Amino acid sequence: MAKDAALVIFGKAPIPGLVKTRLCPPLTQDEAATLQGSLILDVVERSRPIEKTARLDRFLACAPSREHVFFKILQERQGLHLIDQVGEDLGRRMDHAFKEIFALGYKRLLLVGTDVPTLSASSYGQALSLLADHDLVLGPSLDGGYYLIGLKKPAPDLFTDIPWSTDQVYSLTREKAETLGLKTGLLPTCRDLDTIDDLLALAREAGPPPIAPCLSTRTAGVLYLLAKRLGTALH
């Protein structure tokens, strides 16, 4: 380990029926899986430049397994380190990932999901800068959760007794951080993509391709085609 910072991307393999299930219906399982694959690629591709600019290593925490061919291809093409997601719920999986990567000797660690396709590479640099004088960094999402969390050491209490996938995740995490005496820095609030309303809102904001600077051309195209199939006007 030669670098002091790491980014852990939490991702599920785009397997029909196992991802983006809250979008089905009206999306088909295949459509949801296609969207999931595009979202993972977004985070992986957009984060690659910071390996050099921020001297940061990238890990992909994989579900159901790092042996899945989708992850193996990403590893080969993108230079990622693969680990498995381990734990019965999201909190335990995140806590395990932090402990596993910190044990390698890193001093600053960011963990990000794949549900914010508008997240820019500069956000990671901003999060690392905040960790210089904060113990914890959070990227709040509009639905009451968070899309990014950064720490300088393991903090298992942040991940216990949290009702995951509810609108209380962010507020309860802030309360826990205050109780633990952790100084918290915040990134801008972003919309994540969990529901059909989120999908349609992002599609409207982006507009028809190629005029979607906040999104990758690939994901903008996927959202446009899905919204069009659902009969939604984007103009």
Side-chain angles (χ1 to χ4, degrees):
M1 199 282 295
K3 302 174 184 177
D4 90 320
L7 171 68
V8 182
I9 301 166
F10 255 49
K12 292 182 179 180
I15 302 172
L18 297 182
V19 293
K20 292 297 177 196
T21 55
R22 292 172 64 185
L23 301 177
C24 304
L27 298 192
T28 67
Q29 294 180 353
D30 285 341
E31 287 173 333
T34 297
L35 176 60
Q36 173 72 6
S38 187
L39 294 177
I40 293 177
L41 289 170
D42 282 353
V43 178
V44 170
E45 292 171 356
R46 287 190 173 189
S47 64
R48 188 163 193 173
I50 65 170
E51 283 187 311
K52 293 183 178 179
T53 59
R55 298 196 70 252
L56 174 147
D57 286 328
R58 294 183 304 156
F59 292 78
L60 183 57
C62 310
S65 167
R66 59 184 169 183
E67 298 303 321
H68 192 283
V69 64
F70 178 80
F71 297 129
K72 289 295 187 182
I73 292 172
L74 281 182
Q75 179 184 35
E76 181 178 347
R77 294 181 177 177
Q78 296 287 332
L80 298 164
H81 305 283
L82 302 185
I83 62 173
D84 286 320
Q85 293 186 30
V86 178
E88 297 177 0
D89 62 26
L90 178 59
R92 293 183 182 182
R93 294 194 293 271
M94 289 194 291
D95 181 41
H96 185 276
F98 273 113
K99 290 176 179 176
E100 182 175 354
I101 305 304
F102 273 127
L104 298 176
Y106 295 96
K107 305 301 182 184
R108 294 175 296 163
L109 204 163
L110 305 179
L111 188 152
V112 69
T114 59
D115 290 337
V116 182
T118 58
L119 191 64
S120 65
S122 63
S123 298
Y124 303 116
Q126 183 180 354
L128 290 172
S129 295
L130 285 170
L131 278 178
D133 55 4
H134 294 81
D135 307 300
L136 167 69
V137 172
L138 291 172
S141 53
L142 287 175
D143 64 359
Y146 57 80
Y147 59 87
L148 181 148
I149 179 170
L151 288 167
K152 291 191 286 192
K153 63 181 179 179
D157 289 342
L158 286 177
F159 306 105
T160 60
D161 301 319
I162 299 288
W164 302 105
S165 300
T166 72
D167 60 2
Q168 301 177 62
V169 172
Y170 171 72
S171 61
L172 290 178
T173 302
R174 288 295 306 271
E175 290 178 13
K176 281 179 171 287
E178 186 174 349
T179 299
L180 294 168
L182 299 178
K183 185 180 179 182
T184 304
L186 299 178
L187 295 175
T189 300
C190 291
R191 179 188 296 278
D192 56 10
L193 204 171
D194 285 325
T195 68
I196 286 296
D197 286 342
D198 295 328
L199 185 154
L200 296 179
L202 284 169
R204 291 191 187 97
E205 291 172 10
I211 53 170
C214 62
L215 298 173
S216 70
T217 302
R218 175 186 53 249
T219 295
V222 172
L223 292 177
Y224 177 77
L225 290 174
L226 291 176
K228 185 177 180 180
R229 187 184 72 73
L230 296 175
T232 302
L234 300 181
H235 299 279

